[in-house]
Amino acid sequence: MIRFTNISKRYPGGYEALSNISFHMEKGAMAFLTGHSGAGKSTLLKLIALIERTTRGQLFLDGQNVSRIGKRRIPYIRRKIGFIFQEHHLLFDRTVFDNVALPLIIAGYRHQEIGRRVRAALDKLGLLKKERLYPITLSGGEQQRVGIARAVVNKPMLLLADEPTGNLDPDLSREIMALFALFNDVGVSVLIASHDIPLIEELDYPALSLEHGRLAGSVVDRE
Amino acid sequence: MKRSRKNQRQSQHHWHAQLRRLLSPRTFLQRHAQVALDSLGRLYRNRVASLMTAAVIAIALAMPAGLYLLLDNLERLSGTWDGQASMSVFLQNSVSASAADRLAKSVREWPEVHSVQLVTPDEALQEFSQRSGFADVLDALDENPLPAVLVVIPASGYTDPAAASALRERFSRLPETALAQLDLQWVQRLAAILDIARRGILITGCLLALAVLLMIGNTIRLEIQNRREEILVTKLIGATNGFVRRPFLYCGLWYGVLGAIIAWLLVETGFWLLSAPVSNLAGLYQSDFHLETLPFQLLWILVMGGMCLGLLGSWLAVGRHLDAIEPT
């Protein structure tokens, strides 16, 4: 699903956030990405979501080389990826329903189809009764679940999560991770960046560990 | 290897499905209608601010439109104002009263002639004696020295100097004519003045159109800044530039249309306020002239103009500012 081949990322100014990263994550796999803050976790996820572009090396997503893909094609790649942020980036002037519907509207789904899919996603995340509320009235955990609903509503092949439990207490964090495991069970590939080591150790999934922009240890296929 | 080929096929299939969905005309129209309504709803939610912006656009549109209509009316007036642009055709003394009458009748059929009035020598004498105060002198004369005169008013398409002078030539060639006189200078001066006025209105119109363009551009720029977060999020979850651009383009379009409708109301109201005094003035000149605005034609032109300016203004703003907002 994700293949990094000797990828480096150097920011303007010379700071090398990632050096010579190579790994392969199988389709349908679920893995964690760990490391101290500043180790390059966010940068790695941003490379996959094509928010940042690789300086060197080849990046394959779903068998497609996206390292040098044109700007105009980026949106179509992003539609295959569900991205979950720590600050969840919800739009506060829209209802929960409208927030979750956004990826479907962007992809051009029909009106009836949008309603059906949004309610299915909200139902899966236990938010069906909140669809008419505005995100500001929800708790932190609920807001994060709205963010997840928005990421999965489009049935993406890959879920990326950047510190999804960063602002949540341990119980809620466990709940969120269980949700990810649930999506993984139906075949979605999941990559979660987190520094919550105790929680990661509780769960039986491989982890990629970054240290100063280099892969330090890994249980995922290294190449 | 086998697996990756299968993946490729799957992703290709995904692509085709996506393409079909995007190209389906119903979805396309539905989407545009949705965005158009959303943009309108957004304007309605900030109705005071939107109305103020639209009012400024309206004033900038109403100025050239109103001035142009005034000029149009003035031109119409100059075409019909009897006596002024008229031509006096003095007939030979030998032409009998009945021949003069026949001539007047035949001239009335010419396409370049609006109307003909025959002033017989007796009528001319009467008028002259009344106006000049020489009644006693004229009474002393044995016979009436005055000729019959055809007072000709050219039709509306023949008031410009060249056509009027050609018409004069045609009258000069008639055997009955002694002298055909045209107040050419007056016609030429008016045409020149109207020409300057038309040019002036064109310049004003262009400047104000530019002002509308900048106004809408600036409004859209602010709107883009206000919705920065939304743009970032939509781009992050796969929105194309076209998708992000669309609501702003519709927003500019609505501003243009709204401004045009208000401009139309302003012009119509202005002309309505002017119409009574103008009719009054025209009455003093024994004219039944009144102001005309052709309301539906005006509305149509204003709305089309406003729409184009709105789209163009927002297009410029969007082009400059939208690409700069990329998720990092």
Side-chain angles (χ1 to χ4, degrees):
Chain A
M1 186 70 221
I2 308 170
R3 185 190 292 276
F4 273 53
T5 313
N6 303 319
I7 282 182
S8 297
K9 172 66 190 176
R10 192 192 295 271
Y11 282 105
Y15 172 66
E16 192 158 270
L18 293 174
S19 326
N20 208 26
I21 305 276
S22 295
F23 72 89
H24 178 216
M25 194 176 112
E26 282 283 340
K27 202 176 180 103
M30 172 156 158
F32 286 104
L33 184 62
T34 66
H36 57 89
S37 50
K41 300 193 295 287
S42 291
T43 302
L44 198 148
L45 290 187
K46 281 177 184 171
L47 286 179
I48 299 172
L50 300 174
I51 296 168
E52 296 287 352
R53 310 305 297 273
T54 57
T55 315
R56 269 202 313 280
Q58 306 289 321
L59 170 57
F60 294 86
L61 287 180
D62 195 26
Q64 187 182 7
N65 188 343
V66 297
S67 330
R68 294 286 173 267
I69 200 169
K71 241 182 136 178
R72 292 172 147 275
R73 291 183 59 197
I74 289 179
Y76 302 100
I77 305 288
R78 284 195 187 139
R79 288 177 196 177
K80 301 185 196 174
I81 303 172
F83 208 117
I84 294 146
F85 315 88
Q86 183 175 356
E87 329 79 56
H88 41 71
H89 284 307
L90 297 176
L91 298 177
F92 285 95
D93 60 342
R94 297 175 189 210
T95 60
V96 166
F97 182 96
D98 289 341
N99 265 285
V100 176
L102 202 53
L104 301 176
I105 293 171
I106 287 171
Y109 281 84
R110 282 176 203 285
H111 192 68
Q112 305 83 332
E113 179 84 355
I114 289 175
R116 206 173 56 72
R117 288 204 183 202
V118 168
R119 295 213 170 80
L122 287 175
D123 191 28
K124 214 174 285 173
L125 289 150
L127 290 164
L128 206 49
K129 285 184 182 141
K130 314 256 178 187
E131 64 168 282
R132 288 178 193 284
L133 297 180
Y134 285 86
I136 198 80
T137 61
L138 303 179
S139 71
E142 283 170 333
Q143 288 183 359
Q144 190 57 281
R145 275 188 286 158
V146 176
I148 295 172
R150 188 181 62 189
V152 299
V153 74
N154 206 8
K155 296 191 177 147
M157 295 186 246
L158 173 64
L159 267 184
L160 299 176
D162 191 4
E163 302 284 1
T165 61
N167 296 326
L168 304 178
D169 62 47
D171 281 347
L172 272 174
S173 301
R174 218 165 277 127
E175 204 180 289
I176 298 286
M177 290 302 182
L179 272 171
F180 286 136
L182 213 65
F183 289 119
N184 182 238
D185 283 345
V186 295
V188 182
S189 314
V190 185
L191 182 61
I192 305 163
S194 173
H195 58 249
D196 192 350
I197 303 295
L199 182 61
I200 291 171
E201 281 173 348
E202 251 178 57
L203 298 159
D204 189 23
Y205 289 103
L208 278 164
S209 170
L210 280 172
E211 237 170 68
H212 301 295
R214 289 170 189 283
L215 267 187
S218 157
V219 218
V220 187
D221 292 354
R222 278 189 75 176
E223 297 194 337
Chain B
M1 192 60 208
K2 206 171 163 188
R3 181 175 185 153
S4 97
R5 200 176 297 146
K6 191 182 154 206
N7 282 351
Q8 219 162 33
R9 249 207 319 276
Q10 254 175 7
S11 107
Q12 222 164 43
H13 179 75
H14 187 76
W15 254 101
H16 287 168
Q18 194 115 350
L19 212 62
R20 261 203 306 279
R21 199 161 53 231
L22 282 173
L23 295 181
S24 134
R26 211 176 117 204
T27 320
F28 182 80
L29 285 180
Q30 205 178 42
R31 260 216 270 184
H32 273 262
Q34 179 98 43
V35 177
L37 283 178
D38 275 358
S39 304
L40 197 60
R42 202 172 274 274
L43 289 186
Y44 181 72
R45 278 196 291 280
N46 304 316
R47 46 191 166 275
V48 178
S50 308
L51 212 62
M52 263 159 38
T53 307
V56 176
I57 294 165
I59 290 167
L61 287 176
M63 285 264 281
L67 287 174
Y68 182 79
L69 270 181
L70 273 180
L71 185 77
D72 203 46
N73 274 287
L74 207 63
E75 277 180 333
R76 198 164 52 82
L77 183 63
S78 81
T80 58
W81 212 337
D82 41 344
Q84 293 296 334
S86 68
M87 199 177 293
S88 300
V89 180
F90 298 93
L91 302 182
Q92 306 275 11
N93 276 331
S94 56
V95 177
S96 68
S98 60
D101 205 41
R102 271 201 307 278
L103 181 65
K105 275 198 185 105
S106 77
V107 164
R108 213 163 271 143
E109 302 303 317
W110 294 8
E112 54 273 63
V113 169
H114 177 260
S115 65
V116 177
Q117 190 198 350
L118 173 65
V119 181
T120 60
D122 290 343
E123 284 166 349
L125 185 67
Q126 203 176 4
E127 195 181 337
F128 186 66
S129 62
Q130 267 172 10
R131 289 208 186 166
S132 62
F134 285 126
D136 298 340
V137 183
L138 290 167
D139 281 345
L141 291 170
D142 289 342
E143 58 182 71
N144 184 356
L146 296 173
V149 181
L150 292 181
V151 179
V152 177
I153 295 167
S156 60
Y158 295 88
T159 47
D160 62 285
S165 141
L167 182 58
R168 195 190 69 85
E169 282 297 316
R170 188 169 177 190
F171 276 113
S172 300
R173 281 197 302 274
L174 292 176
E176 294 93 335
T177 304
L179 176 71
Q181 221 171 34
L182 169 70
D183 195 353
L184 198 61
Q185 230 174 14
W186 186 88
V187 177
Q188 279 172 332
R189 279 183 194 150
L190 182 74
I193 290 170
L194 290 181
D195 225 30
I196 292 173
R198 197 178 297 117
R199 199 61 64 86
I201 290 169
L202 189 70
I203 294 169
T204 319
C206 286
L207 285 177
L208 288 171
L210 193 66
V212 169
L213 215 62
L214 293 175
M215 180 78 203
I216 290 177
N218 204 43
T219 307
I220 298 298
R221 185 179 62 83
L222 288 176
E223 182 77 8
I224 290 173
Q225 269 171 12
N226 285 339
R227 294 170 69 181
R228 196 188 156 81
E229 177 70 14
E230 181 186 334
I231 294 169
L232 281 179
V233 170
T234 47
K235 279 195 174 183
L236 262 179
I237 53 186
T240 55
N241 278 338
F243 181 90
V244 177
R245 207 183 288 137
R246 218 166 290 144
F248 297 106
L249 293 183
Y250 273 107
C251 183
L253 190 139
W254 285 125
Y255 270 127
V257 171
L258 235 67
I261 292 172
I262 298 173
W264 179 72
L265 290 174
L266 287 177
V267 172
E268 287 293 321
T269 311
F271 270 70
W272 178 72
L273 287 174
L274 281 176
S275 68
V278 165
S279 294
N280 193 15
L281 180 68
L284 293 177
Y285 284 92
Q286 276 91 42
S287 163
D288 59 352
F289 174 78
H290 57 277
L291 289 174
E292 268 178 18
T293 59
L294 300 171
F296 292 106
Q297 211 172 331
L298 176 68
L299 180 65
W300 174 244
I301 291 169
L302 275 173
V303 166
M304 288 315 274
M307 220 157 88
C308 291
L309 286 174
L311 256 181
L312 192 63
S314 52
W315 188 276
L316 291 175
V318 162
R320 272 175 55 86
H321 301 287
L322 219 52
D323 282 349
I325 302 177
E326 278 292 337
T328 50

